[in-house]
Amino acid sequence: MALWDHGPQRQVDLVAAVETDAPTMARSIARLEKSGLVRRSASPDDRRAVIVEATEASLALRAKVVDAWADLERLTTTGLDTTEQAEILANLGLLESVLTEAGH
């Protein structure tokens, strides 16, 4: 989704955008490339950097992915009012901070 929304990016920038680590991103990109959904190439500005871009094949899946995320959001928030949703988001943010600190 980051590639669809922001276009081709350096692999290191994707790591930051989706808040993951480099090895996890490399494995994910390798799987997506093998499936024909992304393409990797050397950066024209820095041959050490890898540029990752979405392929035309991936664009055919975009609507389905967006719909799946919308469905998941609806399923997880059904029956919650806006105050409850805000509280959960705040608590999840706190949990993320605690887990991030524990990992360092």
Side-chain angles (χ1 to χ4, degrees):
M1 291 181 79
L3 293 174
W4 292 331
D5 292 342
H6 305 291
Q9 298 178 47
R10 295 182 314 158
Q11 185 168 322
V12 67
D13 295 330
L14 281 173
V15 168
V18 300
E19 299 177 2
T20 190
D21 56 63
T24 299
M25 179 59 66
R27 286 189 302 273
S28 295
I29 290 171
R31 285 191 302 270
L32 290 167
E33 186 175 40
K34 187 175 180 179
S35 298
L37 300 174
V38 299
R39 174 181 314 109
R40 286 188 277 191
S41 60
S43 168
D45 302 324
D46 180 356
R47 291 288 181 190
R48 299 170 294 168
V50 174
I51 303 294
V52 182
E53 63 180 305
T55 64
E56 289 296 319
S58 77
L59 295 177
L61 299 175
R62 187 174 187 170
K64 290 180 181 180
V65 171
V66 170
D67 288 346
W69 277 108
D71 288 345
L72 179 61
E73 186 174 327
R74 270 191 301 279
L75 286 170
T76 57
T77 59
T78 297
L80 301 175
D81 63 32
T82 55
T83 301
E84 291 168 326
Q85 290 177 29
E87 288 174 5
I88 289 170
L89 286 174
N91 288 327
L92 287 172
L94 177 61
L95 179 60
E96 179 183 26
S97 296
V98 168
L99 292 172
T100 299
E101 286 298 314
H104 290 278

